[in-house]
Amino acid sequence: MFLELKNINKSYGNKSNRIQVLKDINLSLDKGDFCVLLGPSGSGKSTLLNIIGGIDRSDSGEIIIDNEAMTAMSDRQLTAYRRRHLGYIFQSYNLIPNLTVRENIEVGAYLGRHPLSVDEMLSVLGLKDHERKLPNQLSGGQQQRTAIGRAIVKNPDILLCDEPTGALDYKTSKDILGLIETVNDHYGCTVIMVTHNDALKNMAHRVISLKDGTIRDNYLNASRMRARDLEW
């Protein structure tokens, strides 16, 4: 098993204001799985993604990635681990505004121990003709493609996607989902994608449904749909 979460709990607030966001979460993923975390706003899915990504820490429980216990790491060790092994794609693109498309992707390459080719990323993502443009000269879809390139070029073991199409129109959303699908197929990285869009569960290997901080459903898709065939 590549990723294991054991009895993960997370609360925010103090005493009478304390709210438990995650309650005894247990799950496991194999290397190369495409997993969708599905649920309404407030279900705990983004909190869970942030804990898996080491952005936030759980109150209790254990996370093991490739036989390394993340929960036992110091802050310094956790930072180094994130840089080596994890890639992030968010709804907000978080590009560096004074760097070109190529330079933004190169930032990701500098963080990886075995980075992929920046030129390959530009080609795969359809950004070769835009590589010298700054973020404010790009469409939303082009900015998200650049953000995907920055995350993938470091050659991460796990790609974490938090509502990656939330700010995009229907056609561009399907294009971006297709790129994430291609990354999973071609490079073999494990993908964990948070969404409230029920249709997206059909493209995943594994679907995990959350409600009120607990896992309500956890199953493998008998057959998957390609991103291009999804409708919502």
Side-chain angles (χ1 to χ4, degrees):
M1 202 60 61
F2 180 67
L3 170 65
E4 292 183 86
L5 275 67
K6 301 179 179 180
N7 301 315
I8 297 296
N9 288 275
K10 180 66 179 179
S11 297
Y12 293 106
N14 296 304
K15 297 182 179 178
S16 61
N17 295 323
R18 195 166 183 81
I19 299 173
Q20 190 168 4
V21 182
L22 296 175
K23 306 166 187 174
D24 292 322
I25 299 294
N26 291 275
L27 64 89
S28 58
L29 297 175
D30 290 325
K31 177 73 172 174
D33 274 354
F34 192 130
C35 174
V36 162
L37 296 179
L38 187 68
S41 296
S43 61
K45 56 190 187 301
S46 289
T47 299
L48 180 58
L49 193 77
N50 288 339
I51 288 173
I52 293 171
I55 297 172
D56 201 356
R57 286 188 181 267
S58 62
D59 297 331
S60 61
E62 190 174 14
I63 300 175
I64 301 169
I65 298 179
D66 199 17
N67 296 317
E68 290 190 66
M70 284 184 64
T71 36
M73 294 180 183
S74 67
D75 288 344
R76 178 174 292 183
Q77 289 173 322
L78 191 57
T79 297
Y81 189 86
R82 285 198 305 262
R83 292 178 67 171
R84 289 197 311 270
H85 297 292
L86 302 175
Y88 303 85
I89 303 171
F90 300 101
Q91 184 175 331
S92 55
Y93 315 124
N94 296 324
L95 300 176
I96 301 171
N98 61 337
L99 296 184
T100 65
V101 168
R102 172 178 280 277
E103 290 166 342
N104 265 284
I105 293 175
E106 285 174 342
V107 167
Y110 295 145
L111 297 176
R113 290 190 300 178
H114 306 289
L116 304 172
S117 163
V118 173
D119 285 324
E120 179 182 350
M121 281 294 99
L122 289 165
S123 178
V124 168
L125 297 171
L127 290 169
K128 192 66 179 172
D129 292 340
H130 307 285
E131 64 175 307
R132 298 188 184 278
K133 292 182 179 178
L134 295 172
N136 66 4
Q137 297 173 303
L138 303 173
S139 68
Q142 289 164 345
Q143 290 183 65
Q144 188 62 294
R145 286 169 183 261
T146 304
I148 291 172
R150 181 182 57 192
I152 291 301
V153 75
K154 66 190 286 189
N155 200 12
D157 295 315
I158 300 178
L159 181 64
L160 303 170
C161 310
D162 193 357
E163 299 280 7
T165 63
L168 303 173
D169 61 65
Y170 179 75
K171 181 183 182 305
T172 306
S173 293
K174 292 188 72 170
D175 289 344
I176 294 300
L177 291 170
L179 287 172
I180 295 172
E181 181 180 67
T182 297
V183 163
N184 174 247
D185 291 342
H186 187 68
Y187 298 112
C189 63
T190 303
V191 175
I192 304 174
M193 183 167 68
V194 159
T195 184
H196 63 267
N197 185 342
D198 193 68
L200 304 194
K201 68 184 181 185
N202 297 310
M203 67 182 291
H205 294 110
R206 180 172 295 278
V207 180
I208 297 174
S209 177
L210 286 92
K211 186 176 182 181
D212 298 328
T214 62
I215 293 178
R216 297 299 177 92
D217 209 357
N218 181 352
Y219 64 90
L220 290 171
N221 269 329
S223 60
R224 299 170 61 201
M225 292 179 66
R226 306 303 291 179
R228 63 177 178 270
D229 297 323
L230 296 175
E231 293 185 3
W232 63 88

